[in-house]
Each structure stands twice: as C-alpha cells, then as structure tokens.
Amino acid sequence: MNYIEPGLRELARILDRLVRRGALWWEHRKLGHCEVRLGLLGWQQADYGEGTRDHVDRLADFERTQSQLTNESASLALTLQQLEERRTSERKTYESQRAERLAAQQPLVKQVEEQEKELSAMRRERAKVEEWLGSAEREHAASEDKYRSLLATGNHDPKLVQEVTRLQQKSLSIPQEKLEHQGKLNELQESMGRLEAELQEERARISLETEALKTLEKSFTESDEALAKEIAARRRDKQKLERQVNDLEKAKSHPYREIGKVLADHGIEPLNQPEALTDVLNQRAKVAAVEEKIAASRQMSSLEKRDHVWGSWVLLLSIVVILWVGIWVALHPR
C-alpha cells in the first residue's frame, strides 16, 4: 500500500476545488451581468406573477425618481453655467476698469515724479543762493571794517590807497549783488510755492485715484468670493444629485436581474435582441458545469478513507520537517 498517495490525491482535489470556486465566482458574476442585461432589454414583457410586477413597479419608481433628479441636475448645470459666465463677465469688467484707472493714474504719477525732481533742484538752488547771501553779508561786513580801519590810519601810501579804493568799490558792489541774489531767491521761493501747490493738488488726485482703485478691488473681491462660494455650493448640490442618480442606477440592477431570471426561466426573448436570452442560458450552463465538477470532486473526497488521508498528511508533514531541519543544519554548521 502507498501511504503517501491518498494525501496527495486529496490535496490535489482541494486545490482543484479552490480554483473552481474562484472560476465559479467569476461565472456567477458574468451570469449576473447577463441576467441584468436580459431584464433591462425585456422588462416590459415580464408579466408573470405578483413578485415580477413588484420589480417592474420598483423600476418605474426608480425611473421617475431618476428623471426628476436628472432634471434638477440639468437645471443646476444651467445655473452653474450662468454663474460662471457672470463671474467671467464681472472679472473682465473689473480688469477693464482697473486698467483704465491705472492708465489714468500713470501720467499723474509721472508728472509728480518730474515735479518732485524739479522741486528738489529748486531747493538745492535756493540753498546755494542763501549760502551766497550769508557769505556776501559776512564779506561785506569784513570789507567795511577793514575800509574804515585803513581810513583811520591817514596813511597815504599808494598801496594802501589802492587797497582802500578796492575795498570801497567792493563795499559798493556787494549790496547790488545781494539785491540781485535776493531777487533770484524771491523768484525761487515763489516758483517753489506754486510748484508745491501743484504737487499737493496732483498728490490729492493720485490719492483719490488710489482710493477709487482700492474700492474697486475690494468690491470685486467681495463679489467674486460670493460668486465662488455660490458656485461651489451649487457644484456640491449637483454632485450630490449625480451620486443619487448613480445609486439609483446601481439599485436598478437587482430588479432587472430578478426580471431577467423570470424571463430566462420562461424562455422569453427580448423583442429587439433575442440573443440576450441565449447568453443567460449559456452562462447558466457554464455555472452548472463548474458546480457539477465541484460536486463530483467533493463526492470523490467523501469516498476517500479519512484515516488514510490523515496518515498520509502526517507522513508528508514529517518528511517536510525532516528535510527542512536537514537543510538548516547544512546551511548553519557549528
């Protein structure tokens, strides 16, 4: 007697059944799709018993609800399109108005920059004139003092007389030069006053334009954010409706399959696609064939003596353990 063969046979049958159960699951899945398709194509022909009519009524309810939800979704889609168009239009209007205001502001800014440069040049010129006037005042006072001191000496030395003459002429010319520079200073002060007034006016206009631009940006931002929130809310509502429609579509699979089973049981073909019935019957035959083979395998297993099978498995396990220990000792010598 071969003590190992019963265990090997039973292991082979167990593995075969595992493979066939996987195949059976797949064939059942394909059968479900075929029965659903048959029910979908021929549900209007199903009028066999109270249970079938219940499934047909459920389908009609699903269809009505789906139609209502689809209409609501389409209405939301139209609303979303209108909101998106409105948002795009408002953005274009805002960008156009903003560009116009920036274009109107740019010459003012450039003019202010030029006026500030001109005013800075005037201030430097004024500082120079004021510095010259101060220096001329000191020089005039020094010349007057020296002129008087030389006159007081009464010395008629030609060089001293020449110096006295020079100092006298200088004392007479400095006031005239001071008068000219003072006139220039007055003109600078007047021009600077006018320029500063113009600058103040231009800066006020720029400030008004800036405030108007900020108001425009704030108004657009608030409006755009409100539209964005509304669009997001409508999209969520639309996605919710679409999920409900999809859920209903999935839910219809059960009544469609039940109706398909009734049609297949009674051999009723859909009017437009009669091959749908053939597909169901062929798939049922495949399922039955796999189930028959699994049942035959289980029958063969039931005929096998349990004590021989267990003894064979114990022997096989012992051999595997001995081989594993031997390999481990060979790979890990002391």
Side-chain angles (χ1 to χ4, degrees), residues 229-270:
K229 289 180 180 178
E230 185 175 0
I231 288 172
R234 297 298 177 93
R235 280 179 179 166
R236 288 193 295 270
D237 293 341
K238 188 173 182 297
Q239 290 171 355
K240 183 178 179 181
L241 289 175
E242 289 173 350
R243 286 195 297 269
Q244 290 176 350
V245 171
N246 290 334
D247 291 341
L248 285 173
E249 190 64 33
K250 293 177 181 178
K252 288 195 296 186
S253 297
H254 177 68
Y256 274 139
R257 185 172 185 182
E258 295 301 320
I259 293 171
K261 289 179 180 179
V262 173
L263 292 174
D265 292 341
H266 291 80
I268 298 184
E269 301 174 343

Side-chain angles (χ1 to χ4, degrees), residues 50-68:
E50 189 68 29
T52 306
R53 283 195 295 273
D54 289 342
H55 292 307
V56 172
D57 292 341
R58 286 181 62 195
L59 283 175
D61 292 339
F62 287 153
E63 292 289 345
R64 282 193 298 271
T65 306
Q66 268 189 313
S67 178
Q68 179 182 355

Side-chain angles (χ1 to χ4, degrees), residues 273-326:
Q273 299 186 44
E275 69 277 5
L277 175 61
T278 305
D279 291 341
V280 173
L281 297 178
N282 290 339
Q283 194 60 36
R284 284 184 175 183
K286 291 180 181 179
V287 170
V290 176
E291 288 176 343
E292 184 179 350
K293 290 179 180 178
I294 293 175
S297 176
R298 293 179 66 86
Q299 180 65 26
M300 293 295 296
S301 293
S302 66
L303 297 176
E304 197 77 57
K305 293 182 178 180
R306 292 291 92 190
D307 54 346
H308 290 177
V309 172
W310 284 105
S312 177
W313 285 350
V314 170
L315 181 58
L316 286 171
L317 181 60
S318 301
I319 293 172
V320 170
V321 170
I322 292 171
L323 288 174
W324 182 82
V325 171

Side-chain angles (χ1 to χ4, degrees), residues 137-150:
E137 184 69 30
R138 291 189 296 273
E139 186 178 359
H140 183 258
S143 298
E144 285 285 343
D145 291 341
K146 191 173 181 180
Y147 172 72
R148 291 190 184 94
S149 64
L150 289 175

Side-chain angles (χ1 to χ4, degrees), residues 32-52:
H33 289 309
C34 291
E35 289 173 343
V36 168
R37 179 168 175 267
L38 177 60
L40 175 64
L41 295 172
W43 69 274
Q44 293 178 338
Q45 300 169 237
D47 190 16
Y48 298 92
E50 189 68 29
T52 306

